[in-house]
Amino acid sequence: MNHIDASAHYDETAFKTQVPSLLVVIVDLNPRAWAVLNSELPISQALANILVYINAHLAFGNENQVAVLAAHTNRAIWLYPRPPSDTSSQRSRDRDGDVDMNSDEPIRHSTNTADLGTSANKYPLFAQIESTIVASIRDLLAETTPADIEPTTTLMAGALSMALAYINKTSLAYEPAKASSDPNEQATAAVAQQKAPNLHSRMLAVSVSDSDPAQYIPTMNAIFAASHSRIPLDTLSLAGKPTFLEQAAYITGGTFLSVSSNPRGLLTHLMFGLLADSDAREALVAPTQDTVDFRVACFCHRNVVDTGFVCSICLSIFCEVPENAECLTCGNKLTLGNYGAKPAVVPRKKKKKKKLLNGAGREETGSATGTPIPAT
């Protein structure tokens, strides 16, 4: 009809495509923590709930993407998309690094038709993600040795760094091409891109263990990098006290939920509290934090403290005064002032005593006679 009468009946802005959303899920796979939580929430049930949450995120738009990371006790690995195996990437190569196409070794794909599931009621993309994540977790658990179970903490800082690097790489692919060489036009395009981003990114950390004080510095570096890039970090705590992740949710504008009292309601909290993206949350009432634990880890003993000494040059935090009052990071001489001196005792002022006159108390006025009483 528009081509016949040469008129526009519809607003083109209403048919613009939805801005794609990237969700990076970081799952805490600490074996000891999950063993303690097994009676209330087995890891298989928790993984099934997380897969439902991921499928719901992908169902919001065809261009939505997802990535899943596992934070183990001593390393962080990708669960989806799974990196190519060493056998497939290091097949027979010549000196120039090219793959020998005449090799008789068959090419191994990361997923095959059998991994995608045989049910006709399962969406192929959902089945592919499920099979890849399950296979990656099985390989991780099979490679876990008794020495890997000794640490009681999780390498969450490494997982956050890997997630931020993946988000940055994906965001670069969505940036428009710079066709003009004029710096003024490029600056205008950069301002327009900041107002209307081409990709909405966010992270979700499912934690089951306490925050490691030894990872305070790298964790805060990742948190401030996410805040500078406007990437919210949501945290769902099933057990333990993730102090640093609680601060991360507050600093980056994310949501922090602690369900340690009822971890069986994992799917409910995921779907109703953490499914909406940053744009949708502006029109919704998102869960808020009543109190935030702002304690930090000292740089000397890696203890979580609420009161300490801060260097004025490098902002290093110490739980006690270092030797010779010198900063252990930059060597600056700490000025302690009158710290450690005994407080001065201020004597109390004596109050004036009251005289009793005719059985009633009155303040002393210095008069020889009392106040006359009218006759009745």
Side-chain angles (χ1 to χ4, degrees):
M1 187 64 182
N2 294 338
H3 297 285
I4 296 176
D5 56 3
S7 61
H9 295 277
Y10 302 100
D11 186 8
E12 295 181 357
T13 58
F15 296 93
K16 287 184 178 180
T17 57
Q18 181 182 0
V19 178
S21 178
L22 172 60
L23 171 65
V24 181
V25 181
I26 302 175
V27 183
D28 187 353
L29 292 182
N30 192 322
R32 288 193 175 189
W34 282 108
V36 175
L37 198 62
N38 187 43
S39 59
E40 298 183 5
L41 181 66
I43 187 173
S44 57
Q45 184 179 353
L47 180 59
N49 295 338
I50 295 175
L51 288 173
V52 173
Y53 170 75
I54 292 175
N55 296 342
H57 167 75
L58 295 175
F60 269 113
N62 295 330
E63 297 184 358
N64 287 2
Q65 300 182 20
V66 69
V68 185
L69 275 160
H72 205 40
T73 54
N74 57 355
R75 60 187 182 274
I77 65 170
W78 285 101
L79 300 180
Y80 180 86
R82 194 173 185 180
S85 59
D86 296 337
T87 56
S88 61
S89 60
Q90 298 179 355
R91 293 189 299 121
S92 57
R93 300 175 180 266
D94 55 16
R95 295 182 179 179
D96 298 334
D98 297 332
V99 180
D100 185 8
M101 300 304 296
N102 298 325
S103 177
D104 297 334
E105 183 182 358
I107 299 176
R108 297 180 177 87
H109 298 279
S110 59
T111 55
N112 50 26
T113 307
D115 294 333
L116 298 181
T118 57
S119 175
N121 297 327
K122 185 175 292 186
Y123 185 56
L125 179 59
F126 296 166
Q128 179 183 1
I129 295 176
E130 177 182 352
S131 61
T132 304
I133 293 177
V134 172
S136 301
I137 292 180
R138 288 177 179 175
D139 295 343
L140 176 62
L141 296 180
E143 297 173 357
T144 302
T145 61
D148 298 336
I149 309 178
E150 292 182 2
T152 58
T153 56
T154 307
L155 189 61
M156 186 61 65
L160 292 175
S161 301
M162 295 173 62
L164 290 174
Y166 182 81
I167 291 175
N168 184 36
K169 181 180 178 180
T170 308
S171 301
L172 293 177
Y174 280 87
E175 289 185 355
K178 299 180 180 179
S180 176
S181 59
D182 188 1
N184 296 330
E185 294 183 2
Q186 292 181 2
T188 305
V191 173
Q193 183 180 356
Q194 292 179 359
K195 294 182 179 179
N198 299 317
L199 178 67
H200 294 302
S201 305
R202 58 192 177 101
M203 296 183 293
L204 169 64
V206 181
S207 175
V208 293
S209 56
D210 300 339
S211 295
D212 186 8
Q215 303 179 25
Y216 174 74
I217 298 177
T219 301
M220 297 308 295
N221 290 338
I223 292 172
F224 290 132
S227 177
H228 179 73
S229 302
R230 299 180 181 179
I231 301 174
L233 173 59
D234 301 331
T235 303
L236 181 62
S237 175
L238 298 176
K241 296 180 179 179
T243 305
F244 303 152
L245 293 179
E246 183 179 356
Q247 299 177 18
Y250 178 81
I251 294 174
T252 60
T255 302
F256 177 80
L257 293 178
S258 179
V259 294
S260 57
S261 59
N262 183 22
R264 296 180 181 177
L266 171 61
L267 183 59
T268 303
H269 291 86
L270 287 174
M271 298 297 290
F272 288 94
L274 302 173
L275 184 58
D277 57 1
S278 56
D279 287 347
R281 291 179 185 180
E282 295 179 358
L284 300 175
V285 180
T288 57
Q289 299 173 251
D290 296 336
T291 57
V292 182
D293 189 357
F294 285 110
R295 293 184 300 169
V296 298
C298 65
F299 288 28
C300 50
H301 301 91
R302 296 294 187 266
N303 297 327
V304 178
V305 296
D306 52 0
T307 303
F309 303 89
V310 182
C311 176
S312 59
I313 303 299
C314 63
L315 301 181
S316 298
I317 304 172
F318 306 101
C319 59
E320 59 184 18
V321 181
E323 186 178 358
N324 298 327
E326 293 183 357
C327 177
L328 302 178
T329 304
C330 63
N332 177 47
K333 189 71 174 181
L334 301 180
T335 303
L336 302 178
N338 296 327
Y339 176 77
K342 296 182 179 180
V345 180
V346 180
R348 294 182 179 180
K349 294 182 179 180
K350 296 183 179 180
K351 296 182 178 180
K352 295 182 179 180
K353 295 183 179 180
K354 297 181 178 180
K355 285 187 176 181
L356 296 178
L357 181 61
N358 298 330
R362 67 175 182 86
E363 187 178 357
E364 183 178 2
T365 59
S367 176
T369 58
T371 303
I373 300 175
T376 56

